[in-house]
Amino acid sequence: MKPKLQVLEQDISTMTKDGMEYICITDIAKFRNVDRTDIIIGNWLRNRNTIEFLGIWEQLHNPNFKPIEFDGFKKEAGLNSFTLNSKQWIASTDAIGLISKAGRYGGTYAQKDIAFEFASWISVEFKLYLIKEFQRLKEQEFQHLGWDIRRNLAKVNYLIHTDAIKENLIPDTLTPQQIQFVYASEADVLNVALFGVTAKQWRDESPSLTGNIRDHANVHQLVCLANLESLNAHFIEQGVPQSERVVKLNELAIRQMGILTANDLMLLSQMEAE
């Protein structure tokens, strides 16, 4: 499902191609007239300022852009007889700033800078709201990406942790239930060291929350958890008893969380000073 922007009650589709972000200007054109989007885009493309803007953008971003064909369009732009649509522009100049799509999500898509230029031609108010909504979407995607990266980091270190448990703490004679208990016990070593409670204690204290304690960890806690998993794996391989490990890990967690929190406070103070 492609992300959609909501701008002045108008749905605007987006897409990404070759690392570039595109916004559907057909959807933007609907703000002016739902039934005449192709004509609106065509009128915009006939404008000499539009042709010059598109040409300069392509020269900056597209090494395969055809400048001779561009010059031909620029000379004709503004004449009463001049017409141009997105497919003609793309086919003649090898442009990448515009994309013409067919099918369910069909329409003309423009690279975001070009889309903002088109939106300004449609309505300055619409352009400002579009930019604001696009920035909100990017921030949301960035936060989600950051969360995935942090969770994946924790998962990678989790494998290191469980492998150390398997190789050093689980003899061949244990039953499946006993093996599961060992894994859960070592997971709770980390939970107690970082969060101060076991998994069961957290569930009993937070019956309304879904998932587990780690699903509700903040950024700093996930970073610290990844470090604790690696260090606990090392302690296990060194034969350090569990009672000693939990104390050492708790000391490390307190120290690291203090550093991370202090860094946040310092950045906040700098932002307020600016």
Side-chain angles (χ1 to χ4, degrees), residues 144-236:
H144 183 71
L145 176 62
W147 175 260
D148 286 344
I149 290 173
R150 291 186 293 270
R151 285 292 285 167
N152 287 333
L153 174 63
K155 288 179 181 178
V156 169
N157 282 339
Y158 174 76
L159 293 176
I160 296 173
H161 187 240
T162 55
D163 187 66
I165 296 171
K166 179 181 178 182
E167 294 297 325
N168 297 276
L169 299 180
I170 300 179
D172 295 334
T173 56
L174 292 186
T175 66
Q177 291 80 7
Q178 290 172 324
I179 291 173
Q180 186 62 36
F181 175 80
V182 174
Y183 280 121
S185 175
E186 286 303 322
D188 271 339
V189 168
L190 301 177
N191 291 334
V192 170
L194 179 58
F195 304 109
V197 294
T198 65
K200 184 179 185 306
Q201 288 172 333
W202 180 85
R203 285 193 300 271
D204 292 341
E205 295 171 3
S206 312
S208 62
L209 298 179
T210 58
N212 59 52
I213 188 172
R214 300 182 185 194
D215 291 326
H216 297 273
N218 61 35
V219 176
H220 297 332
Q221 288 170 330
L222 287 175
V223 171
C224 188
L225 176 62
N227 295 334
L228 293 183
E229 284 175 329
S230 294
L231 189 58
N232 194 41
H234 174 72
F235 286 157
I236 290 172

Side-chain angles (χ1 to χ4, degrees), residues 44-265:
W44 176 66
L45 287 171
R46 291 180 67 240
N47 188 287
R48 183 179 182 84
N49 290 335
T50 298
I51 296 298
E52 290 181 344
F53 179 87
L54 292 176
I56 293 173
W57 187 94
E58 294 289 344
Q59 289 171 342
L60 290 172
H61 299 90
N62 180 9
N64 299 317
F65 183 62
K66 297 178 178 179
I68 296 176
E69 286 74 4
F70 160 60
D71 287 338
F73 284 130
K74 188 166 65 171
K75 288 178 182 178
E76 295 182 32
L79 299 176
N80 291 335
S81 60
F82 177 65
T83 60
L84 183 65
N85 60 44
S86 57
K87 291 182 179 179
Q88 291 171 330
W89 169 256
I90 296 166
S92 299
T93 65
D94 279 348
I96 61 173
L98 296 180
I99 296 176
S100 182
K101 287 177 60 70
R104 182 179 177 184
Y105 298 107
T108 300
Y109 285 74
Q111 188 273 344
K112 62 182 180 65
D113 296 330
I114 299 173
F116 294 151
E117 185 74 11
F118 176 72
S120 182
W121 185 77
I122 292 290
S123 163
V124 173
E125 178 189 23
F126 193 90
K127 173 189 177 180
L128 293 174
Y129 279 105
L130 174 64
I131 292 174
K132 182 178 180 180
E133 178 66 5
F134 185 81
Q135 290 173 337
R136 183 199 63 79
L137 177 65
K138 292 298 107 182
E139 289 172 1
Q140 185 180 44
E141 290 178 352
F142 180 78
Q143 290 173 358
H144 183 71
L145 176 62
W147 175 260
D148 286 344
I149 290 173
R150 291 186 293 270
R151 285 292 285 167
N152 287 333
L153 174 63
K155 288 179 181 178
V156 169
N157 282 339
Y158 174 76
L159 293 176
I160 296 173
H161 187 240
T162 55
D163 187 66
I165 296 171
K166 179 181 178 182
E167 294 297 325
N168 297 276
L169 299 180
I170 300 179
D172 295 334
T173 56
L174 292 186
T175 66
Q177 291 80 7
Q178 290 172 324
I179 291 173
Q180 186 62 36
F181 175 80
V182 174
Y183 280 121
S185 175
E186 286 303 322
D188 271 339
V189 168
L190 301 177
N191 291 334
V192 170
L194 179 58
F195 304 109
V197 294
T198 65
K200 184 179 185 306
Q201 288 172 333
W202 180 85
R203 285 193 300 271
D204 292 341
E205 295 171 3
S206 312
S208 62
L209 298 179
T210 58
N212 59 52
I213 188 172
R214 300 182 185 194
D215 291 326
H216 297 273
N218 61 35
V219 176
H220 297 332
Q221 288 170 330
L222 287 175
V223 171
C224 188
L225 176 62
N227 295 334
L228 293 183
E229 284 175 329
S230 294
L231 189 58
N232 194 41
H234 174 72
F235 286 157
I236 290 172
E237 292 170 352
Q238 295 298 313
V240 180
Q242 189 182 83
S243 58
E244 293 183 23
R245 284 189 278 113
V246 70
V247 173
K248 291 177 179 291
L249 293 170
N250 177 248
E251 291 173 349
L252 177 66
I254 292 172
R255 186 162 61 251
Q256 290 197 354
M257 290 299 294
I259 293 171
L260 293 170
T261 303
N263 184 62
D264 269 4
L265 292 173

